[in-house]
Amino acid sequence: MTHFKHSPYQDWESLALKERRKEAPDEMLHTTLEGIELKPLYTAADLAEIEYHESLPGLAPFLRGPRATMYTGRAWTVRQYAGFSTAKASNEFYRKNIAAGQTGLSIAFDLATHRGYDSDHPRVEGDVGKAGVAIDSVEDMKTLFDQIELDKMSVSMTMNGAVLPVMAMFIVAAEEQGVKPEQLSGTLQNDILKEFMVRNTYIYPPEPSMRIVSDIISYTATNMPKFNPISISGYHMQEAGATCLQELAFTIADGIEYARAARNNGLDIDAFAPRLSFFFAIGMNFFMEIAKLRAARVLWAEYIDKLFKPKNPKSLMLRTHCQTSGVSLTSKDPYNNVVRTTIEAMAAVLGGTQSLHTNSFDEALALPSETSARIARNTQLIIRDETEMTKVVDPLGGSYYIESLTQSLINEARKIIDEVEEMGGMAQAVVSGMPKLKIEESATIRQARIDKNEDVIVGVNKFQSDDEQQLDVRVIDNQQVRVGQLKQIDEIRSTRNASVVNSALKSLSAAAESNSNLLEAAIVAARARATLGEISDALESVYGRHQAQNQSVGGVYGRAFEHNEQFMELQSQICEFEEEHGRRPRILVAKLGQDGHDRGANVIATALADIGFDVDLSPLFQTPEEIVRQALDNDVHIIGISTQAGAHTQLVPEVMTLLKQQSMNDVVVICGGVIPPQDHAALYEAGVSEIFGPGTHIPDAAANLLDHLK
């Protein structure tokens, strides 16, 4: 038997580095988007700097998991984020999924509901039922959970802006099913700070919005001990372009701010902290995502212990839901998305998530079909039941690379969290615009890397397929849904006791001006059959409706393309255009309807400005009339409509009609975003010149626009 002499780890690492230098002398270290330098080899020597190398699962700071037995005792909750068109259609979908192995519900509401509008409001004509289920009253909520036992089913509701009426209606629907508030289990997202940063489905200004969050935490602490009153969400930050590090740090900082708000509302930390939960995105950076979840648990335990001194160790425990990335899904070669989602789901499991939603492969094109949703759900079941990943707690614990990466994220995140705390906390940071601008800068850098082929997206910027696949996607008849919702609203208003409703709404407004609990007052109004829009209006009459100010990052995209031949050629063409026409080509980048996802619009606006276009960026939540008026006032050559939530089928043709009425037929209209191929013909017929899907190479798109202006 041969005996090998064991050299120190540093010698082994040195040998490996020498070998790598021979093969790739200029690629010794890789710097991630997070600014973390990765070595080609990690050894036991890298564990010397690890702070919690002897950590055990179930014990603070919970590096290796919040529960001692983790999945060996009970697997994560299999969720499916879903909701579309009507409450009845969504209910049927939920019951099928439950029968097929789903163990928790995650409700997706339409954008009209998110923004506090009833389905009959003129601003939401194109949004009703399109990107989620329409909820106007308790009757819709009762239908949504028909034959679903709310005392046994965990329900997660992704709701932030209109969180008071939605939560109130959920409680009343359960009450009329015979289920008491203390029997309800699940999670309410209720994370308004990230809405002001990235997702934008806010209603009221930041200060009263934080009051609403605090009142809900207070109510549930007293009345709903099994319910998580807030899911502190980093998911939408990463979807908007945040790096894993930014998502991690800003999410923990958000959580600290909510804990501080609840404490300032008179609650003891141990009365609510054990019911706080988190929500993270899981993208394609496999090991970074695993390390992120481990780091998040450590950071939460550290900061809660330091700032709030809880007595209950459960107050230090970070529990999280995860969802695979939506932005990593591609409309080109979409079956590749099955593989992407599988990789991301594995990262969530290896990182120790408590529940998981897997996206469907066709969601870069439309709402998921039944087939794609089944594949997404079965992805989790296969990981859970066929891979034996659940047999060992934290199977990657002790990995030289994972432990080092986790520590690097902890170290860098502390710097960002401390910076936020020095600003006065996350609410003040959000008001300053700091997190939003940092995230938008990261999104722009990422897009530039993709457009330069530095970051490979298989099927998009490399290994493209010549066979453009057509998928059968789910189509929602928005107008049919809206007609049905309007009929039900009319029926409710004609049969309820108007004086009782008015009294309840006045009491809600009075509560907004006093210290009374807002959720308690909203429950009374919901029970009287006040609609979601009426409850929201009662609060808006006191608080007003928030309107964000556009901010943008300049020069980031252009710096990435410095000395690039195509980029310089585009700039030369714009100079020629300016010499010929006396001004540069001008584009209005517009958001129609209630879709607040503005990553695409912001990146496009920044990139085109760096190329040399004059760019106007519309406010969010615009009507066709408002977009055409702005285009007319600014005398633009092009209107670029960014869309993600399906309202384009209704609203874009309205824009085209209004342009004709204003004799603006020479204005070029383009669309970009999540637009199913089945919708293209109707948009082209309406007069749209070009449609750019996810993954579009921006310099190529800019060249296309200039061709249209010749």
Side-chain angles (χ1 to χ4, degrees), residues 360-376:
S360 301
F361 70 83
D362 53 359
E363 288 187 59
L365 296 166
L367 287 172
S369 66
E370 287 198 22
T371 297
S372 67
R374 186 181 71 251
I375 292 170

Side-chain angles (χ1 to χ4, degrees), residues 253-268:
D254 274 354
I256 293 168
E257 187 75 0
Y258 291 129
R260 188 177 287 124
R263 183 188 63 185
N264 293 344
N265 204 27
L267 285 177
D268 181 82

Side-chain angles (χ1 to χ4, degrees), residues 412-434:
E412 295 304 311
R414 283 174 181 151
K415 297 175 185 176
I416 298 174
I417 296 167
D418 290 344
E419 178 186 355
V420 169
E421 286 294 287
E422 288 171 7
M423 295 177 72
M426 201 60 177
Q428 290 300 315
V430 166
V431 170
S432 77
M434 180 271 278

Side-chain angles (χ1 to χ4, degrees), residues 628-662:
V628 172
R629 189 181 310 123
Q630 188 175 353
L632 179 63
D633 291 345
N634 294 355
D635 192 20
V636 303
H637 301 98
I638 307 165
I639 298 175
I641 298 172
S642 174
T643 179
Q644 184 170 324
H648 55 269
T649 55
Q650 172 78 18
L651 301 182
V652 172
E654 290 182 23
V655 169
M656 305 308 301
T657 299
L658 290 167
L659 287 172
K660 290 176 184 176
Q661 291 174 0
Q662 294 291 334

Side-chain angles (χ1 to χ4, degrees), residues 63 178 213 248 270 329 400 432 435 452 488 503 578 615 638 710:
L63 170 71
V213 172
L248 169 63
D270 290 325
L329 302 176
Y400 305 146
S432 77
K452 292 173 66 181
Q488 181 156 291
S503 175
E578 185 174 13
V615 179
I638 307 165
K710 290 179 180 177

Side-chain angles (χ1 to χ4, degrees), residues 392-411:
V392 176
V393 177
D394 188 28
L396 292 183
S399 157
Y400 305 146
Y401 177 38
I402 284 291
E403 297 295 357
S404 180
L405 193 55
T406 300
Q407 188 64 53
S408 294
L409 282 171
I410 290 170
N411 294 342

Side-chain angles (χ1 to χ4, degrees), residues 85 128-130 475-482:
S85 67
V128 176
K130 267 291 187 182
V475 177
I476 302 296
D477 187 339
N478 157 253
Q479 289 306 300
Q480 183 180 2
V481 174
R482 190 167 184 267

